Amino acid sequence: MNKRYEDLEELMSTGEAREVKRAMAVRMSLLGFVRAEAALACCVSVQFVDKWKAIYLASGVEGLKLAYKGSPGYLKPREREDVINWIQEKKTITIEELKRYLKEEYDVFYSSNTSYTKLLEEANLSYKKTHKENSAKDEVKVEAKKKEIKDLIDKEREQIESGEVMYWMQDESHQLWGDICGYIWSKKGERTSIKMSNYRTSQTWYGAVNIYTGEFILDRAKKADTKYTIDFINWLIYRYKEARHVIIWDGASYHRSEGLRTYLEKLNGGLPESEWKVRLLRFAPNAPEQNPVEDIWLQGKNWVRKNFHRLSSFKEVTSMFETFLSGKVFKFNKIKQYLIPNI
């Protein structure tokens, strides 16, 4: 057997796990295996095979050992591109997972997490909180509902452009005084507190975003029920007297109550559906992420949390929330997906 192959055999028998993987990949490549075959057998990438083969041919088996100092401690442009492509193939990833991959595949280890963060940002990933998802969610129903809404929008495209018909996505939110508690940098060993008389003090909000203009409207309510839902619809009609309205919302009980149906029958006065003053559509069940208003509520609450130090009463909490959101214009991808082709 070739002496170099004997060296590889010895490293495969005595080396640490990463050294063994490098030696195996190089040996298979030298024995004539296709790069993809060697990569698959060793559970590595083709770039891994190419890199360690080149190092082996230049420096011998010593170059495959962990103690070897000849390999670069940074990614070359082509390697960086390959890493970014690898990241983009993943739905989620942790910095620790990226660290292991760079160390095993490229023998690169950065002393600062900033370098790893930059790679994740270049791959168009962002750091975000995970969200609950209902196990009863039916993706088929979600896609069918998206298509239904898109078809309706396409059918009434001219009326939407002229303002004759307005499509709204609507939701309610319950804001608690205790919701303003968040994270802040403060001295170690010292508790950071916010004084409040009753952290369960709450305010109910009704909000709707116009899916064509992105305009967001906001209204206060004592609670979420049939009465206040009807009040919100009446307020919407009052603000835009000349328009007909399509409201898209979830399946809350007060969105489908007998009282609401009676109100709509009286409001629409026996007219054909195409002339109704208000039409109601429901999102697919168990999938609140369909509604962009959920994201708008989160933006408002996060803004209040960031400015908690300026607030001394719940009245100030609700006032800041209202001021931040009222009259804003939002352009979410969740809205744009219903406007294809763009209006």
Side-chain angles (χ1 to χ4, degrees):
M1 180 180 291
N2 186 295
K3 179 64 169 63
R4 285 189 171 182
Y5 291 13
E6 290 176 357
D7 290 345
L8 291 172
E9 292 278 5
E10 182 179 353
L11 186 60
M12 288 166 58
S13 301
T14 62
E16 295 187 16
R18 280 179 285 166
E19 295 173 335
V20 171
K21 186 175 288 189
R22 296 169 187 176
M24 286 179 62
V26 172
R27 180 176 177 276
M28 290 188 69
S29 179
L30 292 174
L31 286 174
F33 284 86
V34 176
R35 295 155 65 230
E37 293 176 338
L40 182 63
C42 299
C43 297
V44 298
S45 66
V46 171
Q47 291 77 18
F48 180 96
V49 177
D50 291 343
K51 172 182 177 177
W52 291 108
K53 180 181 178 182
I55 291 174
Y56 175 76
L57 293 176
S59 306
V61 75
E62 292 299 317
L64 305 184
K65 295 182 179 180
L66 296 178
Y68 179 66
K69 302 299 183 182
S71 59
Y74 59 88
L75 292 172
K76 297 177 182 178
R78 178 56 188 273
E79 290 175 339
R80 192 176 189 87
E81 182 180 336
D82 290 336
V83 169
I84 290 172
N85 289 336
W86 175 80
I87 294 171
Q88 289 175 335
E89 291 174 358
K90 294 183 169 293
K91 186 175 181 180
T92 62
I93 187 174
T94 65
I95 285 183
E96 290 305 315
E97 185 179 356
L98 179 57
K99 284 181 178 180
R100 287 194 299 272
Y101 178 76
L102 293 182
K103 186 63 180 174
E104 292 182 3
E105 295 285 320
Y106 300 97
D107 200 30
V108 168
F109 181 81
Y110 297 119
S111 59
S112 170
N113 279 348
T114 302
S115 298
Y116 298 102
T117 301
K118 287 181 179 178
L119 282 170
L120 295 171
E121 290 175 346
E122 284 185 47
N124 201 30
L125 269 65
S126 61
Y127 190 66
K128 60 186 71 174
K129 182 181 178 181
T130 57
H131 294 276
K132 297 175 289 186
E133 183 170 312
N134 195 318
S135 59
K137 175 182 174 181
D138 188 329
E139 290 289 354
V140 174
K141 290 183 179 179
V142 171
E143 291 304 315
K145 181 58 67 172
K146 284 182 182 178
K147 184 178 186 307
E148 178 188 347
I149 296 171
K150 285 180 180 179
D151 289 346
L152 286 171
I153 289 172
D154 192 53
K155 183 179 179 181
E156 298 189 298
R157 199 163 288 272
E158 290 185 8
Q159 294 96 317
I160 294 172
E161 283 184 311
S162 67
E164 181 182 343
V165 176
M166 292 183 172
Y167 273 70
W168 302 91
M169 291 185 176
Q170 192 277 333
D171 193 33
E172 300 84 36
S173 177
H174 306 284
Q175 185 183 20
L176 299 174
W177 195 350
D179 287 343
I180 71 172
C181 295
Y183 291 91
I184 190 170
W185 290 98
S186 60
K187 291 182 179 180
K188 291 182 179 180
E190 291 187 11
R191 183 185 179 96
T192 302
S193 303
I194 305 171
K195 292 183 179 180
M196 55 184 71
S197 56
N198 185 352
Y199 68 90
R200 292 188 179 275
T201 301
S202 66
Q203 172 65 57
T204 296
W205 299 96
Y206 275 71
V209 62
N210 185 311
I211 68 171
Y212 177 53
T213 65
E215 177 193 8
F216 184 69
I217 59 172
L218 183 69
D219 195 25
R220 294 173 181 249
K222 289 185 178 179
K223 59 181 179 178
D225 63 7
T226 298
K227 175 189 178 303
Y228 287 104
T229 299
I230 291 173
D231 286 348
F232 180 77
I233 294 174
N234 283 333
W235 181 62
L236 183 66
I237 294 171
Y238 177 78
R239 283 176 62 110
Y240 305 96
K241 297 182 179 65
E242 304 302 320
R244 290 181 285 112
H245 302 277
V246 179
I247 301 173
I248 310 167
W249 54 18
D250 61 30
S253 59
Y254 45 86
H255 289 168
R256 44 191 172 85
S257 67
E258 181 65 32
L260 183 62
R261 287 196 294 270
T262 301
Y263 160 78
L264 289 173
E265 288 172 4
K266 183 177 179 181
L267 176 68
N268 293 321
L271 295 170
E273 184 175 355
S274 60
E275 297 179 23
W276 285 356
K277 189 66 177 178
V278 172
R279 284 179 285 159
L280 303 179
L281 295 174
R282 286 207 293 268
F283 288 110
N286 305 309
E289 71 280 359
Q290 299 169 94
N291 194 341
V293 182
E294 293 276 352
D295 301 297
I296 293 173
W297 295 138
L298 182 59
Q299 286 191 32
K301 289 180 178 181
N302 283 342
W303 176 254
V304 173
R305 290 189 189 106
K306 290 177 181 177
N307 292 278
F308 78 91
H309 55 282
R310 297 164 52 189
L311 306 170
S312 58
S313 68
F314 188 62
K315 181 178 180 181
E316 292 178 350
V317 171
T318 58
S319 178
M320 177 176 284
F321 184 82
E322 185 173 30
T323 300
F324 179 76
L325 290 180
S326 293
K328 275 208 165 186
V329 174
F330 295 89
K331 292 293 185 181
F332 288 119
N333 287 332
K334 288 181 182 178
I335 297 176
K336 292 178 182 176
Q337 66 182 332
Y338 294 100
L339 302 176
I340 301 174
N342 290 329
I343 291 177

